Amino acid sequence: MPTDPREADEFFLAVPAKLDDPFPDLAYLREHRPVFFYPPHNAWYVFPYDLVHALLQDPRLSNDRMKGFVDAAPAEARAGVRTTVPYLETWMLMKDGPDHARVRGHLQKGLTPAVVKRLAGPIRTAAGELLDAARGGRLDAAGEYAFLLPATVLSDLFGVPAADRPKIIDWSVAFIGFFNVVPINEATAADFVRATAEMAAYTKGLLAKRKAAGGDDFLAAVAADGGLTDDEVAGNVMLLLLAGHVAVRNLVGNALWLLLTRPEPFARVKADPGLIPAAVEETLRFEPPVTLIPRVALEDVTVGGQAIRKGQVVQLSIAAANRDPARFPDPDRFDIGRAGGHLSFGAGVHGCFGAALAKEIATIALEELIRRAPGLRLDPSRPIEWYRNAANRGPSVLPVAWDAVPPS
Ligand code: HEM
């Protein structure tokens, strides 16, 4: 391995300002420290595409991150956080082997390709309603559009009536605040505990109705299947909201930001909206909403010549893998003509459960905005704000403007 003259505390993991553009550091680490132990996190980081791709599917690495979960909360919050464990333990995301396959298999009945296809019309309607609400050709495309659209779609999927959508958003914000803000503090923990209890009770109420009267939504299909306990269904609905809401916001925001700052590909998708799915795919590679995926070693494993010990955390860098020149020629170029192959939805048995739905929402969100907003551009009068931590990337505020058509 080449000698590494740089210290660990120079990299983006230690310097929050570098999160704005971690890609130079990621390129350096991928080349010089492909399997990198970072003492402050007591974790390994892996950067090259081929290693990340292989480790995502390696049964010697576990998805179960529940060990130490309660202890990571401040002492005063632990009793509350412990009450959420019965739900978190049901998450397919945290399970390995046959138990993972069992839970995922039952939930899959509620999110088939046919269900995603059926949602296309309602997604388009919801996108249109959000855009109609934007008067005067100005909109925060992240907060007022990309954030609200998946919340609406997930609510529809779960069978949540429109009047209760604000609850879904409130719970989602509480989950994000808890899981994505490090270190955990007492306030975010208390909010998480509250939201978990409320959402679990709410979901069980919906499930009871579907068991009694049937229906044609996700919960009705899962209820009809009958293979999961109520806690397993409630826990995994919570996971779907956490996994699906902000990531989709970030995908839509990242795609818009990339297009609005790059005239050539933007002109191409405007001229041919059929290219929008390709723009979404390349956005996923170039600016992945989820940048790191954690695993825990079940045994001692040697990776890239480094000895990873049983019990150690291994963070797989999707952002670095997706820009590996060994896999993607000219990787730092945003090129909507590429053939795909990114790892932004993971790989193997844990590969994203909602990938098809995420792409459907993002594609329709872009189609509707571009179609309805002549002269769409960034609004320079208001600043963009970024939601960036080591594991997530996307704008939280993305002001855009367009030429409002005067009423005829
Ligand atoms: C652009 C949007 C999204 C991105 C970038 C994304 C990314 C990912 C990634 C990287 C994984 C793999 C995690 C691992 O290997 O440990 C994953 C899994 C998962 N995703 Fe997504 N996701 C998105 C949208 C969604 C949506 C809309 C839903 C729900 C409707 C969803 C539900 C899940 C679930 C339940 C898992 C766990 C699957 C399992 O462990 O078997 N995701 N997602």
Side-chain angles (χ1 to χ4, degrees):
M1 197 190 306
T3 51
D4 176 25
R6 291 177 56 182
E7 299 293 333
D9 62 7
E10 290 176 45
F11 296 120
F12 73 102
L13 292 166
V15 185
K18 283 187 156 192
L19 287 174
D20 278 359
D21 182 13
F23 292 103
D25 276 2
L26 290 171
Y28 182 91
L29 289 161
R30 192 177 51 230
E31 187 179 348
H32 297 282
R33 303 282 288 272
V35 181
F36 171 68
F37 185 71
Y38 184 57
H41 292 176
N42 193 26
W44 292 90
Y45 283 78
V46 180
F47 302 104
Y49 181 96
D50 56 348
L51 291 180
V52 171
H53 185 243
L55 292 177
L56 278 169
Q57 305 171 76
D58 191 326
R60 295 171 303 168
L61 300 184
S62 170
N63 262 52
D64 185 354
R65 274 116 52 197
M66 287 309 291
K67 193 166 174 282
F69 170 76
V70 173
D71 293 339
E76 310 73 39
R78 279 181 206 149
V81 170
R82 201 165 285 119
T83 65
T84 67
V85 169
Y87 296 108
L88 271 61
E89 278 178 345
T90 70
W91 288 9
M92 63 179 118
L93 180 68
M94 300 281 192
K95 290 180 179 292
D96 297 325
D99 202 32
H100 168 262
R102 175 185 69 82
V103 173
R104 182 161 171 145
H106 288 300
L107 291 163
Q108 202 88 61
K109 309 260 171 67
L111 192 58
T112 59
V115 170
V116 174
K117 209 168 156 201
R118 241 190 3 250
L119 283 169
I123 297 171
R124 206 171 290 286
T125 305
E129 284 169 7
L130 290 169
L131 292 174
D132 285 345
R135 306 241 172 258
R138 282 157 65 98
L139 176 78
D140 167 10
E144 294 166 342
Y145 187 55
F147 188 63
L148 297 180
L149 185 60
T152 303
V153 177
L154 290 170
S155 297
D156 288 354
L157 179 71
F158 303 151
V160 171
D164 285 345
R165 271 181 213 149
K167 293 189 207 287
I168 292 287
I169 292 174
D170 169 56
W171 295 329
S172 179
V173 169
F175 298 156
I176 297 158
F178 179 74
F179 283 102
N180 293 345
V181 177
V182 182
I184 298 168
N185 65 47
E186 234 185 301
T188 55
D191 210 27
F192 168 65
V193 171
R194 171 194 64 80
T196 302
E198 287 177 8
M199 190 174 180
Y202 185 88
T203 306
K204 286 178 189 177
L206 286 180
L207 189 60
K209 285 187 194 149
R210 297 300 177 279
K211 279 182 187 170
D216 62 358
D217 53 37
F218 174 81
L219 281 181
V222 172
D225 168 71
L228 297 175
T229 65
D230 288 5
D231 277 1
E232 285 176 326
V233 176
N236 279 283
V237 167
M238 177 184 169
L239 167 65
L240 261 55
L241 180 61
L242 176 69
H245 188 189
V246 155
V248 174
R249 178 198 71 179
N250 289 346
L251 174 57
V252 172
N254 286 340
L256 270 174
W257 179 75
L258 286 167
L259 289 171
L260 294 177
T261 51
R262 284 165 175 76
E264 190 269 340
F266 190 36
R268 284 181 66 198
V269 301
K270 277 193 290 191
D272 179 3
L275 291 172
I276 288 175
V280 168
E281 210 63 46
E282 175 65 347
T283 299
L284 281 159
R285 183 193 72 84
F286 196 81
E287 280 286 1
V290 176
T291 52
L292 282 177
I293 300 182
R295 294 284 188 267
V296 182
L298 288 172
E299 56 187 85
D300 293 351
V301 187
T302 302
V303 177
Q306 302 287 335
I308 297 175
R309 299 271 170 244
K310 179 179 175 177
Q312 285 187 316
V313 172
V314 185
Q315 295 280 5
L316 305 174
S317 173
I318 303 304
N322 280 354
R323 301 249 195 138
D324 188 338
R327 176 65 182 76
F328 301 97
D330 198 4
D332 294 321
R333 200 163 71 84
F334 179 73
D335 175 4
I336 64 174
R338 285 181 200 270
H342 62 73
L343 297 178
S344 296
F345 289 123
V349 293
H350 285 283
C352 181
F353 181 79
L357 180 60
K359 288 198 265 191
E360 185 83 349
I361 300 172
T363 298
I364 294 174
L366 291 177
E367 281 172 0
E368 287 303 296
L369 182 56
I370 290 170
R371 187 172 71 78
R372 286 163 171 256
L376 181 67
R377 56 195 174 270
L378 291 175
D379 178 353
S381 69
R382 294 183 290 164
I384 302 177
E385 290 174 27
W386 290 94
Y387 183 78
R388 279 173 175 168
N389 60 33
N392 299 273
R393 286 177 73 75
S396 55
V397 179
L398 183 66
V400 297
W402 61 90
D403 306 328
V405 182
S408 51

